[in-house]
Amino acid sequence: MKISGSEIVLECLKKEGVKHIFGYPGGVVLHLFDHIYKDKDIQLILTRHEQGATHMADAYSRSTGEVGVALVTSGPGATNTVTGLATAAMDSIPMVVFSGQVPTMLIGNDAFQEADIVGITRPCTKYNYLVKDVQELAYTIKEAFHIARSGRPGPVLIDLPRDITAAMTEFVWPAEINLRSYNPTFEGNRWMIEKAAQMIIKAKRPVIIAGGGIISSGASDELRELAELSGVPVTTTLMGIGGFPSTHYLNLGMPGMHGTYYANMAIQSADLLVAVGMRFDDRVTGKVDAFAPNAEIIHIDIDPTSIRKNVDVDVPIVGDCKRVITVLNSVIRGEVSNQWEEIRRAWMRQIDEWKRLRPLSYNYSPDVIKPQYVVEKLYEITAGEAIITTEVGQNQMWAAQFFKYDKPRTFLSSGGLGTMGYGFPAAIGAQVANPDKLVIDIAGDGSIQMNIQELATAVIYKLPVKVAILNNRYLGMVRQWQELFYGERYSHSNLDVVPDFVKVAEAYGAVGLRAEKPSEVEPVIREALKVNRPVFMDFVVDWKEKVYPMVPAGAPIDQMLFDKEAEKDDKKLKLVK
Amino acid sequence: MMKKHTISILVENKFGVLSRVSGLFSGRGYNIESISVGETLDKNISVMTIVTHGDDIIVEQITKQLNKLIDVIKVQDLYETDHVEREMVLIKVSPKIEQKSEVLRLTEIFRGKVVDSSQKTYTIEITGDEKKIDAFLELMKPMGVKEFICSGKIAIAREKK
Ligand SMILES: Cc1ncc(C[n+]2csc(CCOP(=O)(O)OP(=O)(O)O)c2C)c(N)n1
Ligand SMILES: [Mg+2]
């Protein structure tokens, strides 16, 4: 029996186990939308902007490990997905975006709502397709899902000309995908792993740096075993947060620009770095020539291009984090001896000393709400049982520093691209995927306005996401840089008029709450968690607050600035060497 | 140290592959000195020869990044491999009358061919490696070179004896 391209798309999605699509209609995808209308198994969540749809699909994926799916129309619909694709690409998130395209015959004619989206998205997708023949459609979709989720995951775009959606053909679901030119390496080189094991065993001052690869390969149990087996402290990058329990005694928190004092000091003093599923982003390394100057480096990553890209490594291991660490653990287990505790005792004592010297801190005030206090309270009241999404800016860093994440896939944040406007649609996408979990977007007053229209989506689909706006009336992170590095010239970082977020929430049919004093923070959070509806919590916070520690751009990561007020004994910001 | 590398890449003969490869170079700030693309015996596979330069770390990244492209089947950096390289140039010269025979003589020495001639000009085809072509060009300069066009380089590894 012949069926249309549109029906083939839906059949393929079902074969891939897709239950939700985030989308927005338009001329060239009407045929497909017509079939979605008739379909009972797949739900389309109508967003209010295509960027929202892509971030929702992205967070659907981040929170579950499934491939998120979005569907948009041609031209402006397609171009609106670019930020979402780039966000997912930078963070290696599997996602498939279908974009409508003008009919095959018109492609290249500057037809109405035509955009060369395959050309535009080539550098910000893992792969993309223009389907030119309906007979290739099923194979293309299966291949797209395979590419999106395998190896180093990433977003894939499929451009569907209108005539392809209407063309009829037999539906054949391909038995398998055969891609001779794409064979990611999963198993690490055994010899290298043995060598790495020996280095870990012998190291006196080892540190593990774990990144997003731990989460995408599902290696958090293995990582924990590795750390515990060999008594090695772990620092998780922004993307690795949740990959190793925040409350674990070996956790050092986040490294890098706004990393903890003890993570950065440990890296700079280490004699061995075990980097797993991370790529030495400049926000992590600071001045790269001065990064971990005394350490030998073992680098485990599925993407060979990540290795030796930014830093030289001594033992490169290309492979899937979970499989490599499993083998590594089995080698180390054979060698376990309690001497290591001896060998490492001085190191652990040093780390404890750093932790005691400069814990993450801020200066609590009874008069004005400190943003960190809000994040701490959120953690306390939820007992950490929540999926946290973030926007970008100070809010993101405080969410990373002051909430604690003991499970993977509970901290969803745009790391690589740093996309303001990510967190709110991400919260909605995560809520669709996890209807029974509490989902909170820790937001800034600037970022929330970038996709605030998605409040309609949350209200209409009854998605009870909570948004904690750390409202400092500023593009706070920009202001922080201007204060510290641009002579306090606050060029265009003052948002002057922020909308009344309580009224905005109410206008959309959501709940709006406000806290202006520290004493109101807890009641507002409790109230928000009580109502089973989307809530905006407007926390009017101290606009002067800055994120510390801070490594100035381009400085070595042990040259950190600290909060002069939180450190009462210091009169000035001081550089610690 | 910057070195010149000739990289041979087998790719799926698909729509858009050339722009994926060239986009990789431009997007990551690598340089392409020349590029040539052609079919292979298997019409589903094309071969690209790219001449680029960079230090060891850059070239290692280039080959890894190329390998990472979904449509790339095989990447071979010919720098370390004994190989044969060829490029072809077409040169249009308009020698003075007394230079004409010298042009023809040099063309013969370099095993070139005159592929077109008019009252005032000769168009000469010449193939060889870069050195040979540079040498020929140098000799032609005094002969009134009017136009000059060069193919990209193609290269093939020598069979091990
Ligand atoms: C789409 C986008 N535009 C610009 C930036 C640059 N940027 C980074 S942080 C920031 C300020 C964010 O302000 P807000 O959301 O209020 O967060 P705060 O830092 O005040 O917590 C800006 C403009 C960005 N990251 N993303
Ligand atoms: Mg702000």
Side-chain angles (χ1 to χ4, degrees), chain A residues 208-258:
Chain A
I208 295 171
I209 307 190
I214 293 297
I215 290 164
S216 52
S217 76
S220 38
D221 290 344
E222 289 74 11
L223 173 64
R224 182 176 178 152
E225 189 184 351
L226 172 64
E228 288 174 354
L229 259 179
S230 51
V232 179
V234 179
T235 162
T236 48
T237 68
L238 189 78
M239 293 306 301
I241 288 179
F244 187 76
S246 294
T247 53
H248 196 283
Y249 69 101
L250 287 168
N251 197 316
L252 299 176
M254 184 169 73
M257 182 173 278
H258 292 296

Side-chain angles (χ1 to χ4, degrees), chain A residues 532-549:
Chain A
N532 192 26
R533 289 167 60 195
V535 182
F536 270 13
M537 293 171 270
D538 182 14
F539 295 105
V540 180
V541 299
D542 183 0
W543 59 271
K544 293 189 290 301
E545 202 57 30
K546 288 177 283 296
V547 180
Y548 289 112

